[in-house]
Every structure is written in C-alpha cells, then in structure tokens.
C-alpha cells in the first residue's frame, strides 16, 4: 500500500489517501483536488504530481 497526506502539497489539508499503487494514489488525489481544492483541469499539474510522488510512502 502507498499512503499520502494531502498536507504535503496543500498545507493544512487533513486528507490522507491510501491505495495499492502510486497511479491509484494519484487518481484519488485528483478526485480530492477537484472537490476540495478547486482543481478545474482534468489532470493535476506535473509539479503537483511530482510532489505527491515525493511525499508518498509505503505502508503495510
Ligand atoms: Zn487536500
């Protein structure tokens, strides 16, 4: 499992995601960004995706 705290990209956000792969984690983060952070593009910007990859960690 991979885990990611949205706060690593959006300070103060308490959302936390877990998924079986980094791709699924990015997909969950994208949905979250749409409803929670006003993302209007279908995809997150490359720098945000890079930040998620940097912030995600392996969990049991
Ligand atoms: Zn968030």
């Amino acid at each position: 499992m991979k885990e990611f705290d949205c706060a690593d990209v959006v300070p103060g956000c308490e959302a936390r995601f877990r998924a079986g792969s980094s791709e699924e984690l990015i997909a969950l983060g994208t949905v979250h960004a749409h409803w929670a952070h006003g993302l209007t593009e279908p995809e997150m910007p490359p720098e945000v995706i890079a930040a998620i990859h940097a912030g995600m960690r392996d969990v049991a």
Side-chain angles (χ1 to χ4, degrees):
M1 293 284 280
K2 300 278 189 183
E3 185 177 79
F4 170 73
D5 290 332
C6 188
D8 287 346
V9 176
V10 184
C13 185
E14 296 182 348
R16 173 174 287 179
F17 308 103
R18 282 188 176 191
S21 70
S22 56
E23 290 79 12
E24 289 174 10
L25 205 55
I26 297 293
L28 287 174
T30 301
V31 171
H32 169 74
H34 281 140
W35 66 259
H37 299 303
L39 179 71
T40 54
E41 306 296 323
E43 305 275 340
M44 288 187 285
E47 63 269 27
V48 175
I49 293 176
I52 293 173
H53 277 287
M56 69 175 61
R57 56 198 174 269
D58 291 306
V59 291

